Amino acid sequence: MSIDSMFVHKMWNDHELSKMVKDGVPFPMLSDAGGKIGTLYGVYDPDAGVENRGRFLIDPDGIVQGFEVLTPPVGRNVSETLRQIQAFQLVRASKGAEATPSGWKPGKHVLNPGIDLVGKVWENWTTDMAFD
Amino acid sequence: MSEELNAGCERPASGPVEDVQAVEPIKELDNPMIKEKKMIQVGKKAPDFTAAGYHNNNFVNVTLSEHLGKWVVLCFYPGDFTFV
């Protein structure tokens, strides 16, 4: 979503993005002329007249589970976005019985929050696990 | 999931759909010029909106709440023909 019109989105997709991604962008490119939606989400910069790089993860119940907002010069890490979605999906599927500690990625050890874990995280998780 | 639009000159209405109350108002008491500021919170409902867009060679109208039941990644970026 950006402040550009849907016509400009079409031109960008057809003339540039489709050269990077076969068949073009697979999801809707939305228009937020005037920044009303960006303002609602706290990412519209009225001085610059554009949106900052905001990324929101919204779960199947419509609840915001996480977000990240960067100023324009620095791009995002899509792998990290996917990792977070996988982690939230795991937690949701376990109905909260499992939690993903720092550095978790699919296949890595999860934690089971509860009274037995109190004071025992050190037995289940080490600092090197926070990194790849 | 989305309503198709004609490619006319008129701009389809876009913006918040319903209660902006979903967003917690934050009072900035230190600065009387700013009455209140809205802020998204994790664990709270994502404000619903409708927006016009381009998808699969069609112009469409997309409403966030039509995607309940699925995970949604909502991305904002400064402008087309820049990087994302």
Side-chain angles (χ1 to χ4, degrees), chain A residues 46-66:
Chain A
D47 297 329
V50 298
E51 326 268 33
N52 285 311
R53 297 186 190 279
R55 181 229 65 187
F56 298 83
L57 300 183
I58 302 168
D59 77 10
D61 296 321
I63 305 296
V64 177
Q65 292 294 346

Side-chain angles (χ1 to χ4, degrees), chain A residues 45-91:
Chain A
D45 177 353
D47 297 329
V50 298
E51 326 268 33
N52 285 311
R53 297 186 190 279
R55 181 229 65 187
F56 298 83
L57 300 183
I58 302 168
D59 77 10
D61 296 321
I63 305 296
V64 177
Q65 292 294 346
F67 61 82
E68 175 186 62
V69 185
L70 307 176
T71 52
V74 172
R76 289 169 270 233
N77 183 340
V78 178
S79 305
E80 171 59 7
T81 298
L82 295 174
R83 187 199 71 84
Q84 288 181 13
I85 296 169
Q86 288 168 320
F88 281 120
Q89 288 178 334
L90 178 147
V91 169

Side-chain angles (χ1 to χ4, degrees), chain B residues 36-82:
Chain B
E36 59 179 36
K37 217 177 178 180
K38 308 282 183 192
M39 190 68 194
I40 291 281
Q41 293 190 331
V42 291
K44 296 284 192 290
K45 193 173 170 294
D48 201 9
F49 62 83
T50 293
Y54 175 70
H55 188 213
N56 288 340
N57 213 30
N58 286 309
F59 292 120
V60 294
N61 231 349
V62 173
T63 299
L64 178 65
S65 55
E66 290 172 353
H67 294 79
L68 285 171
K70 287 182 173 180
W71 284 86
V72 171
V73 179
L74 175 62
C75 264
F76 294 86
Y77 60 94
D80 288 350
F81 296 99
T82 71

Side-chain angles (χ1 to χ4, degrees), chain A residues 15-121:
Chain A
H15 293 281
E16 189 173 31
L17 298 179
S18 57
K19 292 170 183 161
M20 300 178 189
V21 180
K22 192 179 171 294
D23 298 328
V25 175
F27 44 78
M29 302 169 71
L30 303 180
S31 174
D32 183 23
K36 281 183 282 187
I37 300 166
T39 300
L40 193 58
Y41 277 78
V43 298
Y44 180 70
D45 177 353
D47 297 329
V50 298
E51 326 268 33
N52 285 311
R53 297 186 190 279
R55 181 229 65 187
F56 298 83
L57 300 183
I58 302 168
D59 77 10
D61 296 321
I63 305 296
V64 177
Q65 292 294 346
F67 61 82
E68 175 186 62
V69 185
L70 307 176
T71 52
V74 172
R76 289 169 270 233
N77 183 340
V78 178
S79 305
E80 171 59 7
T81 298
L82 295 174
R83 187 199 71 84
Q84 288 181 13
I85 296 169
Q86 288 168 320
F88 281 120
Q89 288 178 334
L90 178 147
V91 169
R92 186 179 170 90
S94 78
K95 299 194 191 309
E98 294 181 339
T100 60
S102 176
W104 179 89
K105 54 188 178 185
K108 279 181 124 177
H109 189 60
V110 297
L111 298 179
N112 299 96
I115 195 160
D116 294 338
L117 189 63
V118 178
K120 301 283 191 208
V121 173

Side-chain angles (χ1 to χ4, degrees), chain B residues 1-31:
Chain B
M1 294 303 271
S2 51
E3 167 202 349
E4 204 167 312
L5 295 174
N6 292 321
C9 287
E10 67 200 67
R11 292 298 170 93
S14 69
V17 163
E18 28 123 15
D19 62 306
V20 180
Q21 300 303 320
V23 183
E24 218 44 32
I26 292 176
K27 296 250 171 17
E28 294 205 0
L29 299 174
D30 294 336
N31 187 347

